[in-house]
Amino acid sequence: SRSLSLGLAFVFSTVLARRINRPLRLFMDACAAVAEGKVGAQVEVRTGDELERLGVAINDMSERLKDHELRRARDEARLIRSRDELEARVRERTSELSRLNALLVHEIEERKRAEEKLFQAAMTDTLTGLPNRRAMEQQLAVQVARVARGGMPFAVLLCDVDRFKSVNDAFGHEAGDEFLRAAAQVMTASVRAGDMVCGHGPGRGDRGGDKAVPGHGCAACPRGRVHGGAQHQHRGVGVRGLPGQG
């Protein structure tokens, strides 16, 4: 009877060990899979006792982890898409701003060039290309202020072409214009680098075009052929120094 009891005890312990060990190995494998990131692992335990309830809890935990990972993956994908869309919009806006900035810089430069051209046109005699009366008056104001501060004196020479009307009457206004341009070139070439030749009068008329030369030199008016006709023109030169300077 003792041997029978020992035999039954061995059989019972073996069956009990198998009943417990198999679920435990399944639980251990499921936990290891979850630890490795393999969510969703399930165990199948049909013992009808606490082991089965433990298996159900492990399966429920694994399923919740799987749902959580799926939601996290979807959220991460949305974040990535949002980031990419934001970067694309930033690049697009940056490109647009760069284009608008380039247009603005171009417009500013164009406006500066236009203003410079307008200023030059306002200060230049269109016929001869010389500085006009407005430019001369500005230069005179600068020179007067310079002398008032103790600078060296200066003089203004007014050159008048005598009997200029005869050129217009004999050869036409185009020839007269050509003559005035030639006169301007000769006078400009005849003064020093620091002197200034300006167109003072209207450029046409009975008395001809006056040329003011602020400085110390005198310019000669041209003598030559105009439209095939030899034409001598005399010039009258008046010199005026700054008041108080002689």
Side-chain angles (χ1 to χ4, degrees):
S1 69
R2 183 177 180 182
S3 298
L4 179 60
S5 297
L6 291 174
L8 290 175
F10 176 76
V11 171
F12 179 76
S13 61
T14 301
V15 172
L16 183 61
R18 289 179 179 177
R19 182 183 180 87
I20 296 175
N21 287 339
R22 179 178 176 278
L24 288 178
R25 285 196 298 271
L26 292 176
F27 297 157
M28 292 175 61
D29 292 342
C31 291
V34 171
E36 293 175 358
K38 300 176 182 178
V39 296
Q42 300 288 310
V43 294
E44 294 292 337
V45 177
R46 296 288 186 268
T47 59
D49 54 11
E50 288 77 3
L51 292 175
E52 184 175 345
R53 289 194 291 274
L54 179 60
V56 171
I58 291 176
N59 291 338
D60 184 60
M61 177 190 68
S62 179
E63 191 66 27
R64 287 200 300 272
L65 287 174
K66 180 180 179 180
D67 293 339
H68 174 74
E69 286 297 317
L70 290 175
R71 288 195 300 271
R72 186 189 65 80
R74 287 194 296 267
D75 293 341
E76 183 177 355
R78 283 196 295 269
L79 286 175
I80 292 174
R81 286 195 301 270
S82 298
R83 182 201 63 190
D84 294 341
E85 291 174 358
L86 179 59
E87 290 179 352
R89 287 197 296 270
V90 169
R91 287 193 299 269
E92 181 180 354
R93 295 292 177 84
T94 302
S95 176
E96 181 66 15
L97 287 175
S98 298
R99 186 183 68 83
L100 293 176
N101 185 61
L103 287 176
L104 180 60
V105 170
H106 178 72
E107 289 180 1
I108 291 175
E109 292 176 350
E110 287 292 326
R111 178 169 295 182
K112 286 182 178 179
R113 285 192 287 268
E115 290 175 353
E116 290 175 359
K117 290 180 179 179
L118 287 175
F119 178 79
Q120 291 298 327
M123 296 293 176
T124 304
D125 178 63
T126 57
L127 176 61
T128 62
L130 294 175
N132 60 14
R133 181 171 182 171
R134 181 180 296 139
M136 183 193 70
E137 291 174 348
Q138 289 188 1
Q139 182 64 17
L140 286 176
V142 172
Q143 296 302 323
V144 169
R146 180 184 60 80
V147 174
R149 293 193 301 268
M152 294 293 294
F154 70 96
V156 177
L157 285 69
L158 292 176
C159 302
D160 182 28
V161 179
D162 296 332
R163 297 186 301 276
F164 179 71
K165 185 175 184 300
S166 62
V167 176
N168 288 333
D169 293 341
F171 303 102
H173 288 292
E174 291 185 3
D177 292 346
E178 182 181 345
F179 182 85
L180 289 177
R181 284 190 288 267
Q185 292 175 1
V186 170
M187 282 188 283
T188 301
S190 301
V191 299
R192 302 169 304 179
D195 296 333
M196 183 179 183
V197 180
C198 301
H200 181 266
R204 295 193 185 98
D206 295 337
R207 297 183 58 209
D210 294 339
K211 301 292 182 289
V213 188
H216 303 283
C218 177
C221 290
R223 191 166 38 167
R225 304 182 69 84
V226 180
H227 280 270
Q231 182 71 27
H232 290 269
Q233 292 299 128
H234 302 281
R235 82 277 185 201
V237 180
V239 182
R240 178 65 176 171
L242 182 69
Q245 301 294 334

